[in-house]
Amino acid sequence: MRWRLNIRRTCWPAWAKTLKTIRQDMRTPVHQGSCLCERVRYEVTGNLGPLVYCHCKRCRKATGSAFIAVAPVAKADFNITQGAAALATYRSEAGVCRSFCSHCGSPIIGYRESDPDTLRLRIGTLDTPLPAQVSAHIFVASKAEWHDFHDDAPQYAERP
């Protein structure tokens, strides 16, 4: 009995610390994603910001679609877990950088040089479910004329 008591006294602090870490990890959302060819994989530990659809001409050109679906993410919460060497970055004259897989072309993140600590995660590359709905449409003044809106999210002519 005495031996058992000593084991409990010795192991309890370590076990309690491990349990606390597990509980914290369970509360912190983790989102995982990858590019089309799966050479680039990433993980976001923490919350994603509001989901926004951008309809500006640059985003339409970058995606080849009517808009781009993005959510802001803190740079500190974003981690490339595989294939960092496959990432390439295009910098526009406006100081907007877009990182993509150099093999399959999938856009992964974008950021402004004026705010490098906030990344714009390309939501289409997520592998984990995202229950959020679009929170706003921005730059609708330059939207594709062939695209119609099918939701009730607020619409802004430019960036609000």
Side-chain angles (χ1 to χ4, degrees):
M1 187 80 126
R2 186 174 194 162
W3 175 75
R4 210 174 199 190
L5 183 61
N6 288 338
I7 294 292
R8 287 185 85 196
R9 285 182 185 163
T10 305
C11 295
W12 178 256
W15 183 81
K17 184 177 180 182
T18 301
L19 182 60
K20 183 179 178 184
T21 302
I22 290 170
R23 284 183 182 152
Q24 287 173 341
D25 288 346
M26 288 173 62
R27 285 189 306 241
T28 304
V30 175
H31 303 279
Q32 297 174 337
S34 60
C35 65
L36 179 62
C37 69
E38 298 187 357
R39 290 184 184 181
V40 177
R41 292 185 176 278
Y42 65 85
E43 187 174 88
V44 178
T45 306
N47 293 313
L48 302 180
L51 175 58
V52 174
Y53 293 170
C54 181
H55 297 267
C56 77
K57 183 177 180 179
R58 288 187 309 218
C59 285
R60 287 188 288 119
K61 292 278 186 180
T63 62
S65 186
F67 57 87
I68 192 166
V70 296
V73 173
K75 183 178 181 178
D77 293 343
F78 182 82
N79 183 39
I80 299 291
T81 58
Q82 175 184 309
L87 276 181
T89 300
Y90 168 75
R91 181 191 178 277
S92 72
E93 291 177 12
V96 176
C97 299
R98 300 168 188 271
S99 296
F100 56 93
C101 175
S102 61
H103 295 277
C104 67
S106 294
I108 306 293
I109 57 168
Y111 60 92
R112 292 185 195 96
E113 288 181 333
S114 61
D115 184 17
D117 292 330
T118 303
L119 306 178
R120 295 330 187 257
L121 180 66
R122 292 355 188 194
I123 296 302
T125 62
L126 280 174
D127 295 328
T128 52
L130 181 66
Q133 297 295 315
V134 61
S135 66
H137 293 270
I138 61 173
F139 291 98
V140 297
S142 60
K143 79 171 191 69
E145 62 280 351
W146 44 265
H147 175 70
D148 294 321
F149 296 101
H150 299 283
D151 59 51
D152 295 328
Q155 299 175 19
Y156 300 96
E158 295 189 9
R159 186 182 336 274

